[in-house]
Amino acid sequence: MKAASFRVSILFSVMAVFGTSASFAQSGWFWQNPLPQGNPLYAAAAPDIDTVVAVGELGTILRTDDGGATWTLQSSGTTQTLRGVSFVDANTGTAVGFGGTILRTEDGGATWRVQSSGTTSGLNAVSFVDASTGTAVAGGTTILRTDDGGATWTRQSSGMTGILYGVSFVDANTGTAVGAGGTILRTDDGGATWTAQFSSTLFDLG
């Protein structure tokens, strides 16, 4: 009797476990920890003290409006990895990434629209100084510039061939890009010409 009772007990335990699993499967899988997602993040932009937008792998875009106390996962409309982001105010921003991906929002990320970059190179960084003027970088032969909010992007020549990982502009004309092999490039004419600067390192800045 004890053996039979034990077998029945085991049977009900197994049924309970599989029943629970089936119920969970039917309800669908959802991310539990860490919230709100777990993909690697590669860049962030903070247009003000409370607002931060972060981007990362598989098209991930996160936003906070309370200094990071809570984060909301936004729908980017792409699965391409995003490597750079720049916001000029709480509403207007651009994200760039693999496959020449460029995304633009003018409503704080509620919606993102794809812009044509004219390249399939992976874009690593982007810098906007106002709603119209921005620069994105990838390889040394891929520097893109827009003066119309990303409606059109124009390729610029840096004179270099190494990968560029970062870019920052302080105004429409003055900017710096950095990359592999200790590369530092400077422009004072909006990227029409780039001048190499000595970085005193041969290490890869990536």
Side-chain angles (χ1 to χ4, degrees):
M1 287 293 294
K2 288 184 177 180
S5 176
F6 179 74
R7 285 195 297 271
V8 171
S9 176
I10 291 294
L11 176 61
F12 277 105
S13 296
V14 170
M15 290 175 64
V17 169
F18 278 93
T20 301
S21 298
S23 175
F24 184 74
Q26 289 173 356
S27 65
W29 292 91
F30 58 93
W31 192 268
Q32 287 190 314
N33 185 66
L35 289 175
Q37 63 90 50
N39 290 323
L41 301 172
Y42 298 118
D48 59 53
I49 194 170
D50 292 318
T51 307
V52 183
V53 177
V55 301
E57 200 163 310
L58 297 175
T60 299
I61 301 179
L62 297 177
R63 178 176 175 110
T64 179
D65 291 300
D66 54 17
T70 58
W71 291 84
T72 301
L73 185 63
Q74 297 186 329
S75 176
S76 67
T78 183
T79 57
Q80 293 281 10
T81 291
L82 301 174
R83 296 299 301 267
V85 62
S86 179
F87 269 71
V88 295
D89 56 43
N91 293 315
T92 310
T94 299
V96 300
F98 287 0
T101 299
I102 300 180
L103 304 176
R104 170 87 167 190
T105 183
E106 293 176 346
D107 55 15
T111 58
W112 293 84
R113 69 177 186 275
V114 177
Q115 295 183 325
S116 177
S117 66
T119 183
T120 57
S121 297
L123 300 172
N124 294 321
V126 62
S127 177
F128 270 76
V129 294
D130 55 45
S132 299
T133 311
T135 299
V137 298
T141 57
T142 304
I143 298 179
L144 303 178
R145 165 93 171 194
T146 182
D147 293 300
D148 55 15
T152 58
W153 291 85
T154 303
R155 188 184 296 266
Q156 296 181 330
S157 175
S158 69
M160 308 292 286
T161 58
I163 298 174
L164 298 174
Y165 295 116
V167 62
S168 180
F169 273 72
V170 295
D171 57 43
N173 293 316
T174 311
T176 300
V178 297
T183 297
I184 299 178
L185 303 175
R186 167 90 171 189
T187 183
D188 294 307
D189 55 14
T193 58
W194 292 85
T195 302
Q197 295 183 325
F198 181 64
S199 67
S200 73
T201 179
L202 294 178
F203 294 107
D204 190 335
L205 294 180

